[in-house]
Amino acid sequence: LALRSVVPDCDNDAVVIRAVPNGPTCHDGTSTCFAPWLWRKIVQRKNEQPTDSYVAQLLQGGTPAIAQKVGEEATEVVVAALSESDERVVSEVADLWFHTLTLLASRNIDLTAVEAELRRRDR
């Protein structure tokens, strides 16, 4: 890590350390140990390829198959949002997020790239 700054918070009871990584910083090969648990789980399953893992099966199907699942799940979110209960919307969004994260993993795109793009758009 290349240290950029160490700054105390407003009442001096914590510090924020800013650093730029020179590569993966977590033992699982991701850019952070503080990634969301689902992202860490998907990366773990990608790396370990357990035979009973849905993630591993999806990844073996390749990016086109995963992209098709993302499209299906996106459609299901729209249908649920327009005509179903809040619980169904939550369920379908969960499916969409899961398959979208798996798509990123299949393309070797770290979740932090999406976060960086969203931060870039924050104006």
Side-chain angles (χ1 to χ4, degrees), residues 80-119:
L82 294 175
S83 63
E84 298 180 22
S85 68
D86 289 350
E87 291 79 14
R88 286 289 301 149
V89 173
V90 168
S91 177
E92 295 303 339
V93 169
D95 289 347
L96 178 59
W97 287 5
F98 167 79
H99 287 92
T100 301
L101 291 174
T102 305
L103 177 69
L104 290 173
S106 78
R107 302 248 339 204
N108 296 314
I109 299 171
D110 194 280
L111 181 58
T112 58
V114 176
E115 293 171 349
E117 174 61 17
L118 292 170
R119 287 183 200 281

Side-chain angles (χ1 to χ4, degrees), residues 1-120:
L1 296 174
L3 182 64
R4 295 291 185 236
S5 64
V6 179
V7 181
D9 73 347
C10 62
D11 63 354
N12 291 315
D13 66 350
V15 295
V16 174
I17 299 173
R18 295 182 192 261
V20 177
N22 296 320
T25 58
C26 184
H27 73 283
D28 67 7
T30 60
S31 62
T32 176
C33 292
F34 301 102
W37 69 267
L38 180 57
W39 177 248
R40 290 193 319 269
K41 179 64 75 175
I42 290 169
V43 170
Q44 176 188 22
R45 297 282 168 83
K46 179 182 178 185
N47 291 337
E48 295 175 1
Q49 290 289 309
T51 57
D52 62 343
S53 165
Y54 179 62
V55 171
Q57 292 170 9
L58 279 174
L59 291 168
Q60 288 169 5
T63 299
I66 300 167
Q68 181 178 346
K69 281 298 289 180
V70 169
E72 291 170 11
E73 298 301 341
T75 299
E76 291 174 10
V77 167
V78 172
V79 170
L82 294 175
S83 63
E84 298 180 22
S85 68
D86 289 350
E87 291 79 14
R88 286 289 301 149
V89 173
V90 168
S91 177
E92 295 303 339
V93 169
D95 289 347
L96 178 59
W97 287 5
F98 167 79
H99 287 92
T100 301
L101 291 174
T102 305
L103 177 69
L104 290 173
S106 78
R107 302 248 339 204
N108 296 314
I109 299 171
D110 194 280
L111 181 58
T112 58
V114 176
E115 293 171 349
E117 174 61 17
L118 292 170
R119 287 183 200 281
R120 185 189 67 75

